[in-house]
Amino acid sequence: MFNLILFGPPGAGKGTQSELLISNYSLVHLSTGDILRSEVAAKSELGIRAKELMDRGDLVPDEVVIGMIKSKLEANPDASGFIFDGFPRTAAQAEALDGLLTDLQTSITMMIALEVSEEELINRLLNRGKESGRSDDQDKSIILNRIEEYRLKTEPIKDHYAAQNKFHPVEGIGSIDDIFDRISAVIDPVI
Ligand code: B4P
């Protein structure tokens, strides 16, 4: 199996590049952000709890997102691999993911980290906020809180994958197609 973690701060382009990756490689896309937003839209109990945290730019509790990923892995027993988009975001999520994949007799193949300056992240998210109506993209202070959460809780987990020689930084500024070509250049020799 080929299991990719697409990593980077909010607005780095994880969701955007995942769309291109799933149409070019036969991988199942697991985006915790998308799953949470569908729970919010369905007004489920989980969605109502998650919305409050997402609207502040805070992370949703580990046990909630780990449970979501576990059930998606179980629902795709024939997958040839997964793209993990926006997960793991904490050390506890990274440890849980290792355990879930070990149970399936597989492991993470690589982490690709999209590198984008803070100024560009803020501009991209505020622009999306104008078009999409996503409430967490409309207020600069909420965006800054999401970036702060990323720096404090998420960014350190790259060391876990770097220690296993699985960490690959990729320049995330430029055209969407150029960035996709940079990602493919890392994946193609391995997949
Ligand atoms: P996510 O849905 O994961 O969203 P994101 O980090 O904001 O976006 P992403 O990096 O995917 O950006 P995109 O490609 O869309 O998380 C949202 C919230 O959910 C979190 O704050 C948290 O509350 C919760 N959550 C999710 N997962 C969690 C977890 N594991 N644990 C706890 N909580 C969790 O791109 C952004 C914009 O940039 C788009 O408008 C796009 O068009 C534009 N763009 C992309 N590439 C570009 C390029 N090359 N040039 C110019 N613009 C570009």
Side-chain angles (χ1 to χ4, degrees):
M1 282 177 93
F2 181 86
N3 297 309
L4 169 69
I5 298 174
L6 201 51
F7 195 69
K14 303 181 294 288
T16 305
Q17 294 298 328
S18 290
E19 293 301 319
L20 293 174
L21 286 162
I22 50 175
S23 59
N24 283 271
Y25 302 91
S26 299
L27 301 170
V28 174
H29 180 210
L30 298 184
S31 159
T32 40
D34 288 351
I35 303 168
L36 288 166
R37 279 185 289 279
S38 67
E39 294 286 342
V40 171
K43 295 195 168 60
S44 68
E45 200 182 317
L46 189 163
I48 291 164
R49 268 176 69 203
K51 184 174 188 325
E52 203 180 308
L53 295 162
M54 293 167 81
D55 281 352
R56 287 203 302 256
D58 291 341
L59 293 179
V60 171
D62 287 334
E63 64 275 16
V64 173
V65 284
I66 291 166
M68 289 178 348
I69 288 289
K70 184 172 188 288
S71 56
K72 292 287 176 187
L73 289 173
E74 287 166 358
N76 288 281
D78 300 325
S80 58
F82 293 93
I83 302 175
F84 296 95
D85 162 7
F87 181 91
R89 261 178 155 98
T90 63
Q93 292 179 24
E95 274 172 38
L97 180 60
D98 282 350
L100 291 170
L101 293 178
T102 302
D103 290 347
L104 297 174
Q105 297 180 321
T106 185
S107 60
I108 289 300
T109 313
M110 61 171 63
M111 168 184 269
I112 292 184
L114 294 170
E115 299 195 322
V116 177
S117 67
E118 190 162 317
E119 191 189 1
E120 171 76 8
L121 296 174
I122 295 167
N123 286 338
R124 285 183 188 180
L125 293 173
L126 286 172
N127 275 334
R128 181 170 65 185
K130 283 184 209 144
E131 290 153 19
S132 72
R134 244 179 84 167
S135 45
D136 58 343
D137 284 343
Q138 296 191 11
D139 182 317
K140 192 171 170 185
S141 66
I142 295 171
I143 291 172
L144 289 173
N145 185 42
R146 287 161 64 194
I147 294 173
E148 178 74 1
E149 286 272 87
Y150 172 80
R151 301 277 176 232
L152 281 175
K153 298 176 185 166
T154 307
E155 198 169 29
I157 68 175
K158 67 186 185 189
D159 295 342
H160 177 71
Y161 299 94
Q164 301 171 45
N165 293 322
K166 293 179 177 175
F167 178 75
H168 300 270
V170 165
E171 166 74 70
I173 295 196
S175 79
I176 288 168
D177 287 339
D178 283 349
I179 296 164
F180 179 70
D181 288 344
R182 288 175 211 149
I183 294 174
S184 294
V186 180
I187 292 177
D188 287 345
V190 179
I191 202 162

